[in-house]
Amino acid sequence: MAKLTVSDLDVKGKKVLIRVDFNVPIKAGVIGNDNRIVAALPTIKYVTENGGKAILFSHLGRVKKEEDKKELSLRPVAEHLADLIKKPVTFVPVTRGPQLEEAIGKMNDGDILLVENTRFEDLDGKKESGNDPELGKYWASLGDLYVNDAFGTAHRSHASNVGIASNMKQAAAGFLLEKEIKFLGNAVDNPVHPFVAILGGAKVSDKIGVIDHLLSKADKVIIGGGMTYTFYAAKGMKIGNSLVEKDKIELAKSIIEKAGDKLVLPVDSVVAEKFANDVPSKVVDGEIPDGYMALDIGPKSVELFENVLKDAKTVVWNGPMGVFEMSNYAKGTLEVGKFLGTLKDATTIVGGGDSTAAVQQLGVADKLTHISTGGGASLEYLEGKTLPGIAAVSDK
Ligand code: AMP
């Protein structure tokens, strides 16, 4: 069933508690990458432009000891948000008590307030991360309406998402969360066929849940990246010094058997003698020679994958095809990304984490339909798990 979204709410004059994901890299008070703040703007603007009072909650990093608080304050985010949205943002340096309550009491319609890092509450018994019932109830008491727009933490049951939601009459999704549900959720639950999944990255063990679930949903599952060579080993092929998870070889064998021709493995690789960019590399077909390690897929694999992908109507991609961080091994990931960008009638979705970094770094992100903002949350979504942060949002 469709979820209630922020545009279904009458926010005028209301105190709207919004859980955003402002978990951005900050060094010495300077924000490194503000993608997540930018991604939250549509929801914040919608609320304020329609006369609501936007009260924002977010976590930032992990707060384990008192000294962490200095580095993990959201104050720089409040300043940056004010610049982006061209409006003052009141920052409240606490997560509860009279100072917060008075600041909320003084808000006018259309105002924005940011509460300090919700994980400051973790110092005293993991109240935020452990979804302490008293904390969720208290935060809920500060507002009239609740909107969750933090996809990045949707796979966690915390006080600021599930806790607040369960203490409000209704909980709505923000525009960002709505988009993730629409693209990532629909791709897996109601894909337009042919549906092709591309799974890469380092380890089979990280992706096993995703491989399993997508094999039951997709028409083809393409494997690339370091995990290829655990599959090669399972087929009895030589893998040289390539990345391998020995304890996952049996599992890879059973996947190969179960999947039949649904599973598409690379047929050639770019290999080198060392895990480095400044050493000679070459392309080999099939098995990896002794003394070499495979660091990218080769051109024949790219061609094979393009053939599988050319008629796809839905594509979900998680994990790079090689060590894209080094220029000599970025080509496979780049070529696959570029090809996805040429698919006219297909919905192309990148499932977060390293794959998001890869498509952004390689400059192909803007040609794709949807780039997920969540790492762990995307993976769990692709595994077919129920995400508590989304489950806590009311149905329409
Ligand atoms: P993941 O977080 O599982 O998506 O893995 C991403 C990482 O896998 C990236 O840092 C890549 O450099 C790495 N990776 C991709 N292909 C290979 C490979 N053939 N050998 C070693 N590492 C790889």
Side-chain angles (χ1 to χ4, degrees):
M1 194 188 286
K3 292 284 183 184
L4 191 75
T5 69
V6 59
S7 51
D8 297 318
L9 303 177
D10 178 11
V11 298
K12 187 155 178 42
K14 300 278 173 42
K15 290 177 280 188
V16 188
L17 310 173
I18 312 177
R19 175 51 158 108
V20 287
D21 181 0
F22 285 166
N23 186 29
V24 292
I26 303 181
K27 272 220 171 90
V30 180
I31 293 166
N33 176 335
D34 68 354
N35 280 352
R36 286 178 168 165
I37 307 175
V38 172
L41 293 178
T43 297
I44 300 169
K45 280 187 181 159
Y46 179 86
V47 168
T48 54
E49 284 168 7
N50 285 285
K53 299 167 182 152
I55 301 160
L56 312 178
F57 292 84
S58 176
H59 78 283
L60 176 64
R62 290 215 173 119
V63 184
K64 291 185 182 139
K65 45 191 190 321
E66 191 63 33
E67 303 86 82
D68 293 339
K69 283 180 154 183
K70 200 162 161 267
E71 289 235 309
L72 294 176
S73 170
L74 279 173
R75 188 182 291 276
V77 174
E79 289 161 10
H80 192 69
L81 174 63
D83 288 343
L84 288 175
I85 209 161
K86 299 184 183 68
K87 259 173 98 106
V89 173
T90 302
F91 176 69
V92 181
V94 293
T95 49
R96 62 165 83 210
Q99 189 181 357
L100 174 61
E101 291 151 29
E102 278 160 27
I104 292 175
K106 282 191 200 140
M107 288 175 84
N108 293 313
D109 294 353
D111 281 356
I112 306 170
L113 178 151
L114 175 63
V115 180
E116 183 58 282
N117 185 356
T118 54
R119 288 206 182 146
F120 279 22
E121 290 282 347
D122 279 356
L123 275 184
D124 181 18
K126 291 231 162 221
K127 291 203 163 95
E128 156 72 330
S129 299
N131 189 12
D132 177 77
E134 180 272 331
L135 182 59
K137 197 168 169 191
Y138 169 68
W139 279 338
S141 75
L142 301 172
D144 307 308
L145 297 168
Y146 177 68
V147 175
N148 186 2
D149 209 18
F151 180 67
T153 42
H155 59 315
R156 304 270 182 247
S157 193
H158 289 173
S160 61
N161 59 357
V162 173
I164 302 182
S166 58
N167 282 287
M168 306 293 284
K169 253 197 250 130
Q170 281 187 320
F175 294 119
L176 180 65
L177 194 67
E178 183 189 22
K179 217 166 122 201
E180 296 281 5
I181 297 170
K182 179 174 158 202
F183 287 112
L184 215 48
N186 263 351
V188 180
D189 293 333
N190 290 308
V192 181
H193 290 272
F195 171 27
V196 182
I198 311 170
L199 301 174
K203 291 187 181 160
V204 179
S205 48
D206 291 344
K207 306 279 163 90
I208 186 63
V210 181
I211 300 175
D212 242 353
H213 188 62
L214 292 183
L215 272 173
S216 73
K217 299 275 179 182
D219 301 290
K220 293 277 182 191
V221 174
I222 292 172
I223 301 284
M227 66 176 164
T228 303
Y229 307 96
T230 301
F231 283 94
Y232 271 23
K235 290 172 62 144
M237 293 166 69
K238 291 203 324 190
I239 57 163
N241 299 327
S242 305
L243 200 64
V244 64
E245 286 172 279
K246 291 218 167 79
D247 60 336
K248 293 289 175 290
I249 294 177
E250 282 308 311
L251 184 68
K253 269 188 199 161
S254 70
I255 293 173
I256 291 170
E257 256 169 47
K258 196 166 70 180
D261 64 0
K262 244 191 201 189
L263 198 72
V264 184
L265 291 169
V267 289
D268 61 350
S269 306
V270 179
V271 301
E273 287 177 289
K274 272 204 256 164
F275 190 84
N277 204 34
D278 57 357
V279 294
S281 59
K282 61 179 183 181
V283 176
V284 299
D285 287 343
E287 296 188 308
I288 312 304
D290 289 341
Y292 285 87
M293 59 180 75
L295 297 170
D296 194 10
I297 57 170
K300 287 183 191 155
S301 307
V302 171
E303 211 183 306
L304 171 70
F305 294 177
E306 287 179 356
N307 249 319
V308 173
L309 288 162
K310 68 179 188 315
D311 300 318
K313 290 281 176 283
T314 309
V315 181
V316 168
W317 181 14
N318 184 287
M321 299 289 98
V323 185
F324 73 97
E325 299 93 335
M326 297 190 212
S327 58
N328 288 345
Y329 316 113
K331 195 155 185 228
T333 305
L334 179 63
E335 292 297 324
V336 168
K338 279 207 303 214
F339 188 75
L340 291 185
T342 67
L343 296 177
K344 290 271 169 309
D345 304 323
T347 305
T348 50
I349 297 151
V350 175
D354 258 320
S355 350
T356 300
V359 293
Q360 280 167 347
Q361 185 188 313
L362 301 172
V364 291
D366 59 344
K367 298 272 189 323
L368 308 178
T369 314
H370 179 66
I371 313 289
S372 176
T373 53
S378 315
L379 271 187
E380 291 200 16
Y381 219 0
L382 296 177
E383 284 173 30
K385 287 188 182 158
T386 300
L387 306 191
I390 293 179
V393 171
S394 314
D395 290 327
K396 235 191 232 278

